Amino acid sequence: MAQFVVEGGTRLTGTIFVHGSKNATLPILAATLLVEEPIVLKNCPRLRDVENMIRILVELGCIARWEGSTLYVDSSGAFGYTLSERLSKELRSSIFLLGSVLGRFKKAVATYPGGCEIGNRPIDLHLMGLRRLGAEIDEDGGYICCTGEKLLGAQVSLDYPSVGATENIMLLACMAEGETVIHNAAREPEIVDLQDFLCACGFRVSGAGSSEIVILGGTRGHGCSFTIMPDRIVAGTYLTAAAITGGEIALIGAMPEHMVSMLEKLQDAGAYIRKDGARIILKAPKRPSELLRLETQPYPGFPTDMQPQFFALCSVASGISVIVENVFENRFRHAQELIKMGGKNSVRGTMAIVRGVQRLHGAQVTAHDLRGGAALVLAALSAEGTTVISCAERIDRGYLQLEEALCSIGAKVTRKD
Ligand code: UD1
């Protein structure tokens, strides 16, 4: 078990480079199975979730090799269609592989991913979409057995714009004959990145970024070289780190057009933000202002993956903030940990009332999930004294060398394994 030890109270200043997006990389890795030629992925973050996805691909017979942040994947020799239970349990996103394995081999066997730290996370929309394209799916004793001898394009309407379901359906639709239209599709930038990757491989996909995605399936894909988009949640986390410490930072490599709702909320909290070519510059006041209402929504609304970090920011704001979590049902576990640090908040169902305090103090806290853990790091940076955050390996799932990046702008963070 890893720990972060954070000595709080330093104002962060400096420049940080933003690495490639985890949530764009995972479905793109799944998509490499659709192509029987070598693929080169640049700006690929070497995170634990990414390594786990690669391990699953390797178990299926793919070859993968790193060179710095470039990943070479060759799935021409892939033969397996059963996703190992052990690795699937470690990585919920392995469910993305269902569409691509089924598309490639006409059959796929996976284990049901079950719940996770932030909620129940059902996969009914994924399965409904795959069935609409002609997959036959048996769910038996925790196993999902799919066959798809005759996959045909179809109209698929999602009851909710699920990111993962949209991506899974896009992947299978590339291999189904004819036209698929996904209605009420998720509009996240990572879906646009998946579309761009699929098009670079020669598949015919359009409309990503809007609620209607059209896939003309049945063509053979080819190898390509592709650069993964920057991670907007990592970028947002660093900006919030500067904001919570009254600091001033420049981010290199982030795409502000992916971050409109977050940047607006940071401005509402009193930060001055300027876009300067490839940089985003943030200057924060000594103490953030409260946020009258922060409500998570599917993109382009405020991202649920930034809610915990903003919860930490509101914990030291000059007034009372209201936070509503609409996407996941159990995503306030950081609230209790922040109370251990002197935070004042109360959570009822999907709503939290956060009363800002002048100063948090150091404490022993636990990272219950990835972004909740990141929120505790931010809180600790602004707190008086030393905070020890246990289960830090959960934070590693989404941030590459977080402590080094933060130390490079003046933070005092050390890791203990
Ligand atoms: C992705 C992101 C995650 C982010 C989330 C929402 C990846 C690897 N993960 O997760 O970081 O927090 O989008 O932006 O990209 N739902 C169903 N049935 C389904 C699928 C989803 O009811 O079949 C519900 C979920 O329980 C949840 C909501 O839909 O309440 C959103 O989930 P979804 O958009 O699918 O998130 P993920 O793709 O799992």
Side-chain angles (χ1 to χ4, degrees), residues 12-34:
L12 300 187
T13 56
T15 301
I16 288 194
F17 170 80
V18 178
H19 61 69
S21 160
K22 166 178 88 68
N23 287 355
T25 302
L26 293 171
I28 287 175
L29 279 175
T32 61
L33 259 186
L34 300 180

Side-chain angles (χ1 to χ4, degrees), residues 332-377:
F332 279 134
R333 292 184 72 190
H334 42 281
Q336 275 301 321
E337 302 301 314
L338 288 165
I339 288 173
K340 292 181 193 162
M341 300 177 71
K344 289 195 170 22
N345 63 66
S346 68
V347 173
R348 202 163 288 167
T350 58
M351 185 184 283
I353 310 286
V354 185
R355 189 181 296 269
V357 296
Q358 185 80 36
R359 203 77 199 265
L360 295 168
H361 56 72
Q364 300 263 352
V365 292
T366 303
H368 292 292
D369 58 82
L370 160 57
R371 306 300 171 187
L376 297 178
V377 174

Side-chain angles (χ1 to χ4, degrees), residues 112-126:
Y112 200 79
C116 77
E117 316 88 16
I118 59 174
N120 192 21
R121 300 186 92 167
I123 56 164
D124 54 317
L125 297 171
H126 297 243

Side-chain angles (χ1 to χ4, degrees), residues 73-263:
V73 187
D74 184 350
S75 80
S76 55
F79 51 83
Y81 57 86
T82 303
L83 305 177
S84 98
E85 190 169 348
R86 185 177 51 84
L87 288 174
S88 302
K89 286 266 181 287
E90 287 219 9
L91 180 67
R92 195 190 173 279
S93 317
S94 61
I95 202 70
F96 295 134
L97 281 161
L98 216 48
S100 55
V101 173
L102 182 60
R104 169 92 180 254
F105 297 110
K106 310 287 174 227
K107 43 188 172 181
V109 179
T111 40
Y112 200 79
C116 77
E117 316 88 16
I118 59 174
N120 192 21
R121 300 186 92 167
I123 56 164
D124 54 317
L125 297 171
H126 297 243
L127 300 186
M128 178 280 294
L130 303 186
R131 282 191 173 111
R132 294 283 295 164
L133 299 185
E136 288 187 13
I137 304 178
D138 279 334
E139 293 171 77
D140 190 17
Y143 287 92
I144 308 163
C145 303
C146 313
T147 49
E149 285 307 327
K150 204 160 189 291
L151 296 168
L152 282 178
Q155 303 284 319
V156 184
S157 195
L158 294 175
D159 288 336
Y160 182 90
S162 153
V163 174
T166 301
E167 292 167 339
N168 227 339
I169 298 163
M170 284 166 78
L171 297 184
L172 187 62
C174 286
M175 306 306 269
E177 282 298 326
E179 183 184 87
T180 295
V181 184
I182 309 175
H183 301 276
N184 197 26
R187 296 161 62 188
E188 269 68 1
E190 292 75 15
I191 293 185
V192 179
D193 222 38
L194 177 62
Q195 167 177 289
D196 290 347
F197 171 76
L198 290 169
C199 291
C201 294
F203 295 111
R204 292 172 298 177
V205 185
S206 58
S210 79
S211 307
E212 198 170 283
I213 301 178
V214 181
I215 303 111
L216 284 172
T219 40
R220 232 179 122 82
H222 54 70
C224 74
S225 174
F226 186 79
T227 304
I228 306 276
M229 63 177 267
D231 197 308
R232 62 193 169 101
I233 304 301
V234 168
T237 302
Y238 288 139
L239 290 177
T240 314
I244 203 170
T245 61
E248 181 174 343
I249 67 164
L251 285 187
I252 300 179
M255 292 178 81
E257 60 271 34
H258 292 167
M259 301 168 64
V260 173
S261 60
M262 294 180 227
L263 296 182

